[in-house]
Amino acid sequence: MADPAGQPFFGQVEIRDGLISTVVAGEHRSEADEVIDADGCALLPGFVNTHAHSHSSLTRGSAEGVALDEWLKVIESEQSRLTEEQLYIGALATYAEALLSGTTAMLDMCLFPATAYRAARDIGIRAVIAPYVADTKPFTPTLAQTEALLKQTAADDDLVRTFVGLHDLESCSDEQISAGVALAKRYATGLHLHCAETERQVERTRSRTGRTPVAQLAALKALGNRTVLAHCVWVDDEDQRLLVETGTHVAHCPHANLKLGSGIAPIAELRRRGVNVTLATDGAKANNRLDPFDVMKFASLLQKGGLRDPAVLPPSDVLTMATRCGATALDIPGGAVTPGNVADLILVRLDSFHNQPMTPEAAPTNLVHAARGSDVVLTMVAGEILTRAGRLVSDRWTSLAEDARKVGMELIAERGAIVG
């Protein structure tokens, strides 16, 4: 067992009613309905991906070698033509890829929120749906649609919930941001936005308002302990102070920031100051893989290299960012193998060549720097096993990969997407 915040140990975990009921060291007799032999594996809390776009998995690889503004033109041309059925397949494919590589919870900023909500419930992932709202983009959902989904999710169980999603300060008017803040407060839910992703975005907001994006969000009362900001690459000293002061969470997306040439977020400094920094893949078009192990490694090495300090962000901290910190940001009672937490758990095989030797002392660094998503042999959400031995358990999804491939190829052929 490898608890991110503690020393790995050999033990046993019992699960009842979707929750972790008992955690004990050593082996004990159990009267459970099913006993899973995890010999040769590490048991971890499932990873929490705090920023993704399920609609972007369908045409992965079709917007390469361009900076954010040009990249957005390509993807928005595709997104504006997507149908509900295509988005359902895209959401299912996104969630399947996530589950198979150890992600048990995801914050999904998506185009068809009701469709993504249905897909998440169908496949069983724990999800927070944040509609991709932007009043300057006519193809995006509205705050009225967000409110309708908030009412629906309130009537269901809490496996799939809704946050108010607002794209960013330059594609949403200040009036829309304020309305979104009020909506989130009215329904006691979270708020999710992109923020300070590029220097150019910061310059635009500053020239329009006289403030940085973080300062403008503070002025609009959009910061707080229920707000998750994606990126925060270009945040100055005062911005960082505001993030700490308000308890705002940050979703770090190292792959997207590198691929789009946006920069390197000051993650080590944000954490040193006390900001809750979580880890995220971003969408598949900006990553191009939804593998949380890959994200952990990039996050770790970027800070070490950028600061020229090999001791910064030790592996145990990175594991915590990928699990407990994400659970905190999304208000999930999980992120650790602890009694009372939700039974969102994964088993990672340790006998692969690239994971050897796997001693208790080496487990944290090997899991962060050597393991990969394909090492996950079991994923469980709320006590239900959703993947086993590299496959989705339900026969319902047997053709899902082929369905997603066909939709992607149709979109590339019909809509003139350029494959890099």
Side-chain angles (χ1 to χ4, degrees):
M1 223 171 298
D3 190 323
Q7 187 68 17
F9 66 96
F10 296 97
Q12 182 172 301
V13 174
E14 291 195 1
I15 297 159
R16 295 182 187 277
D17 300 322
L19 301 176
I20 298 170
S21 60
T22 307
V23 179
V24 293
E27 188 173 351
H28 298 263
R29 184 177 177 181
S30 173
E31 297 181 359
D33 294 336
E34 180 181 4
V35 177
I36 299 170
D37 183 0
D39 186 39
C41 296
L43 177 71
L44 293 167
F47 297 114
V48 181
N49 183 350
T50 53
H51 182 65
H53 301 288
S54 61
H55 54 266
S56 77
S57 292
L58 292 170
T59 53
R60 187 182 330 230
S62 66
E64 300 293 310
V66 292
L68 180 63
D69 287 347
E70 289 301 313
W71 182 83
L72 284 170
K73 289 179 184 178
V74 175
I75 68 167
E76 289 178 358
S77 175
E78 298 171 2
Q79 291 170 1
S80 64
R81 298 179 178 90
L82 291 170
T83 68
E84 184 173 353
E85 182 57 29
Q86 289 169 338
L87 283 162
Y88 178 69
I89 295 295
L92 287 173
T94 297
Y95 302 152
E97 182 180 352
L99 288 166
L100 286 164
S101 54
T103 296
T104 53
M106 175 182 285
L107 176 51
D108 181 12
M109 181 175 268
C110 56
L111 281 176
F112 279 39
T115 303
Y117 177 83
R118 176 165 63 95
R121 289 190 66 84
D122 284 350
I123 206 165
I125 194 171
R126 191 178 301 277
V128 177
I129 306 300
Y132 191 104
V133 172
D135 52 10
T136 62
K137 302 177 189 293
F139 61 88
T140 61
T142 64
L143 285 176
Q145 289 173 295
T146 302
E147 184 166 17
L149 191 61
L150 281 164
K151 291 177 179 177
Q152 178 182 345
T153 54
D156 293 329
D157 61 55
D158 64 354
L159 191 68
V160 185
R161 294 178 292 125
T162 303
F163 275 13
V164 174
L166 298 160
H167 185 260
D168 66 15
L169 277 163
E170 298 311 307
S171 56
C172 299
S173 64
D174 286 351
E175 292 75 19
Q176 188 176 56
I177 297 284
S178 295
V181 170
L183 181 61
K185 185 175 182 180
R186 189 157 66 247
Y187 283 86
T189 192
L191 193 66
H192 185 43
L193 307 93
H194 299 86
C195 182
E197 186 173 355
T198 67
E199 278 187 293
R200 189 170 180 182
Q201 286 181 334
V202 174
E203 290 164 3
R204 283 176 181 161
T205 302
R206 197 190 295 275
S207 66
R208 180 175 65 84
T209 67
R211 302 185 182 99
T212 66
V214 171
Q216 178 65 2
L217 288 174
L220 295 171
K221 303 187 186 309
L223 301 184
N225 64 5
R226 300 299 302 276
T227 297
V228 181
L229 298 181
H231 303 299
C232 291
V233 177
W234 298 96
V235 285
D236 62 21
D237 187 74
E238 177 61 15
D239 293 335
Q240 294 182 37
R241 185 191 66 77
L242 284 169
L243 294 173
V244 174
E245 188 177 272
T246 58
T248 301
H249 311 279
V250 170
H252 177 39
C253 308
H255 293 78
N257 299 156
L258 289 177
K259 181 179 177 181
L260 300 177
S262 302
I264 300 174
I267 296 309
E269 178 61 17
L270 287 170
R271 281 180 51 82
R272 187 192 68 78
R273 287 173 174 242
V275 176
N276 181 45
V277 180
T278 66
L279 294 182
T281 58
D282 209 333
K285 287 178 78 76
N287 187 301
N288 295 43
R289 191 172 64 193
L290 308 180
D291 186 340
F293 291 91
D294 210 29
V295 175
M296 288 195 294
K297 183 172 183 174
F298 267 66
S300 170
L301 299 185
L302 266 179
Q303 298 301 306
K304 295 178 193 304
L307 297 172
R308 293 185 246 184
D309 180 0
V312 75
L313 275 192
S316 58
D317 286 6
V318 179
L319 282 164
T320 298
M321 291 165 65
T323 53
R324 187 174 298 178
C325 293
T328 298
L330 301 190
D331 196 24
I332 297 169
V337 185
T338 303
N341 278 355
V342 292
D344 295 0
L345 302 169
I346 63 173
L347 287 176
V348 183
R349 61 177 295 186
L350 306 178
D351 59 355
S352 303
F353 286 111
H354 57 271
N355 284 329
Q356 298 302 317
M358 184 66 81
T359 64
E361 295 74 23
T365 191
N366 283 354
L367 287 167
V368 169
H369 297 120
R372 57 186 70 148
S374 56
D375 294 328
V376 175
V377 295
L378 184 144
T379 302
M380 170 187 293
V381 176
E384 181 179 353
I385 298 171
L386 299 181
T387 80
R388 198 193 290 261
R391 300 179 65 86
L392 295 166
V393 169
S394 174
D395 291 338
R396 182 178 179 183
W397 313 120
T398 302
S399 66
L400 178 57
E402 178 61 15
D403 294 342
R405 187 193 69 81
K406 286 179 179 178
V407 171
M409 293 303 291
E410 289 168 3
L411 290 171
I412 289 173
E414 294 171 7
R415 290 156 197 183
I418 300 171
V419 179

